[in-house]
Amino acid sequence: MKLLHTADWHIGRTLNGYSLLDEQENAFEQILNIAKAEQVDGIVIAGDIYDRAIPSTNAVTALDKMLKTINLDNHIPIYAISGNHDGAKRLNFGNEWMEESDLYLNTLLSEAFTPIETPEAQIFMLPFFDPMDARVYYQQQGMDEEDVKNIRGIGEAMNLVISDMVKLFDPNKKHLLITHFTVAPSAEEELELTSETTSKVGGLATLTVNTFNDFDYVMLGHIHTRFASPSEDIRYPGSPVKFNVKEAKIKAHGKGVDIVEITDNQITHTFKEITPKTDLHVLSETWETLTDPKFYKAQPIKKDWFAITVKDFDRSKHVNVRAKMQEIYGTVVELDYENIKRDQEIATSQANLSELSPDTIVDQFFKTITGKDLSDDQKQLVDSIFVDLGKED
């Protein structure tokens, strides 16, 4: 049995106001071509199919076309779950009749306890859920009220869920799990890799690999790089598209999907790379370098996207910086400035703020913003203001 493992499509995502839909559709075409070339028995989408709970019309139309192309036109089964970005109840619409064409879509905790049965494996599909979802579910199952109250964190909830899944195991088959959470190698090792929201992995509580010891293989979603995978048999494929500058900076991570092959003796995974239609490049150089033809002509200008940081920048010497950068490079999705000396001055002044007089603080603030000292007239005005304020006290 062979499966294509992908996750975190985030259909409808934008990058600083720029639509990523063309990028996502291009990545989808490559995913489909990989699936056909590898002759997979199914495509796994491990959560965050949409970017938001209430997706745009364009996002809904795009996903509808993608799923139809995979499932109806090419007759490839789909095993999909909702992630923390998806609207579970909205995405759940029509899932019963979808299964008639082997399109399995789980968005509710209650659906996770009915595995998909294939000749080789049982595929458990566990969508993103929180402890409250678990409390509601187990209360409906007749659990004692005090025991329900003890489900406080996601770790306690997940242990209950996994133990109930294990009761359903067929000992003659492999046991696969599709889910959408942060999973670390151990409690002592907290992940610090890029995800879709923050550099500390999206704000979801961290689980550990020990939680999933009973499964032969776990196909995860949520973290956007495969290098966050906590073990060889608990894997993130990463997102198929670069969604932010942090992801673009980590060039070695690449984007793609995993091909997971299940045999009687082992389960293996092979990464298949996806080539971006419009790549995102991160440049951090001085103004002189950025405007030097020798430098910028070596870049894919007017073709790809750029996130630019101007180093050692003096605002007083330049106007219409964005316009100039766009004239040279084309689409600039992010423009930032870095002045090491000024940043150090700000840090020093903040550290010594309590030791400075009010008029000195105003003087330093003015210099930080404008790069100039207060004039004599401005100093007199500031002084008179503080004198008047002192009288009011």
Side-chain angles (χ1 to χ4, degrees):
M1 183 181 186
K2 192 184 286 187
L3 298 172
L4 185 151
H5 175 201
T6 180
D8 298 284
W9 286 11
H10 289 276
I11 301 298
R13 184 74 167 256
T14 61
L15 175 58
N16 293 341
Y18 291 87
S19 174
L20 291 172
L21 198 53
D22 283 347
E23 282 300 303
Q24 291 166 325
E25 289 176 340
N26 177 261
F28 164 73
E29 290 294 335
Q30 294 183 61
I31 290 171
L32 180 61
N33 289 336
I34 292 170
K36 291 161 70 173
E38 293 288 335
Q39 298 182 320
V40 300
D41 299 296
I43 292 178
V44 171
I45 311 174
D48 281 355
I49 300 171
Y50 286 125
D51 188 56
R52 57 186 63 186
I54 304 177
S56 67
T57 302
N58 287 341
V60 172
T61 301
L63 181 63
D64 181 70
K65 181 181 178 182
M66 293 174 186
L67 297 183
K68 177 180 179 294
T69 302
I70 295 170
N71 190 240
L72 297 182
D73 297 346
N74 289 279
H75 308 290
I76 301 174
I78 296 173
Y79 306 101
I81 60 169
S82 56
N84 56 302
H85 275 243
D86 296 308
K89 291 185 178 179
R90 287 175 179 271
L91 200 58
N92 191 259
F93 176 78
N95 71 331
E96 290 185 8
W97 57 262
M98 287 177 180
E99 292 180 6
E100 296 298 319
S101 63
D102 290 329
L103 198 170
Y104 303 94
L105 178 57
N106 282 10
T107 70
L108 305 175
L109 176 57
S110 58
E111 298 167 337
F113 302 100
T114 305
I116 310 303
E117 302 282 352
T118 75
E120 303 86 357
Q122 289 179 301
I123 304 174
F124 289 82
M125 299 168 53
L126 177 61
F128 171 76
F129 69 96
D130 61 30
M132 180 58 72
D133 296 322
R135 286 195 285 269
V136 171
Y137 171 77
Y138 281 104
Q139 188 174 43
Q140 292 172 343
Q141 302 307 304
M143 178 181 280
D144 182 78
E145 188 173 338
E146 287 302 314
D147 291 335
V148 169
K149 289 180 180 179
N150 287 330
I151 306 174
R152 297 186 179 89
I154 192 61
E156 293 157 327
M158 186 65 77
N159 287 336
L160 276 173
V161 169
I162 297 298
S163 65
D164 284 346
M165 287 180 171
V166 171
K167 296 172 185 176
L168 303 171
F169 277 10
D170 181 339
N172 299 313
K173 294 183 178 183
K174 297 291 186 183
H175 308 110
L176 313 180
L177 176 65
I178 304 167
T179 194
H180 188 94
F181 285 93
T182 303
V183 182
S186 67
E188 291 74 31
E189 299 178 65
E190 187 174 358
L191 294 172
E192 294 284 352
L193 295 171
T194 303
S195 76
E196 83 277 4
T197 51
T198 72
S199 58
K200 250 194 171 172
V201 200
L204 298 189
T206 301
L207 300 167
T208 63
V209 294
N210 291 339
T211 307
F212 305 101
N213 281 342
D214 292 301
F215 285 92
D216 296 295
Y217 198 86
V218 181
M219 289 171 275
L220 294 170
H222 181 54
I223 303 181
H224 292 181
T225 170
R226 68 187 188 278
F227 290 99
S229 299
S231 73
E232 279 299 300
D233 51 12
I234 302 178
R235 297 275 303 169
Y236 293 101
S239 61
V241 171
K242 295 176 183 177
F243 290 123
N244 55 50
V245 174
K246 286 181 180 178
E247 292 182 28
K249 285 180 178 178
I250 312 173
K251 294 181 180 179
H253 283 196
K255 294 295 179 182
V257 299
D258 269 351
I259 299 298
V260 181
E261 192 160 5
I262 299 103
T263 65
D264 290 338
N265 300 321
Q266 64 179 351
I267 300 178
T268 60
H269 57 82
T270 306
F271 182 74
K272 298 291 182 178
E273 191 166 359
I274 290 174
T275 303
K277 178 181 180 181
T278 307
D279 208 351
L280 175 59
H281 302 272
V282 181
L283 304 178
S284 181
E285 302 290 345
T286 63
W287 178 261
E288 289 72 23
T289 299
L290 290 167
T291 55
D292 183 347
K294 290 182 180 178
F295 176 79
Y296 66 69
K297 286 183 178 180
Q299 311 299 325
I301 55 176
K302 308 296 177 70
K303 176 180 177 292
D304 287 346
W305 291 339
F306 291 88
I308 297 174
T309 298
V310 188
K311 298 173 68 175
D312 300 325
F313 186 67
D314 187 346
R315 290 176 184 269
S316 66
K317 294 182 179 179
H318 305 283
V319 294
N320 298 327
V321 176
R322 178 174 285 276
K324 182 64 175 178
M325 290 294 97
Q326 290 180 330
E327 177 188 335
I328 294 173
Y329 291 93
T331 303
V332 178
V333 299
E334 184 172 300
L335 182 61
D336 202 358
Y337 308 93
E338 180 184 281
N339 188 314
I340 297 173
K341 182 178 179 182
R342 184 171 298 173
D343 291 344
Q344 289 173 342
E345 289 174 352
I346 292 172
T348 301
S349 65
Q350 288 176 340
N352 301 322
L353 204 60
S354 61
E355 302 174 8
L356 302 178
S357 63
D359 54 337
T360 304
I361 292 173
V362 173
D363 187 36
Q364 289 192 359
F365 176 76
F366 184 83
K367 188 173 182 178
T368 297
I369 299 301
T370 66
K372 301 176 181 179
D373 292 319
L374 287 169
S375 67
D376 290 339
D377 289 342
Q378 288 169 328
K379 288 180 180 179
Q380 288 179 8
L381 176 61
V382 170
D383 186 61
S384 64
I385 289 172
F386 281 117
V387 169
D388 290 340
L389 288 172
K391 291 177 181 178
E392 291 179 6
D393 290 341

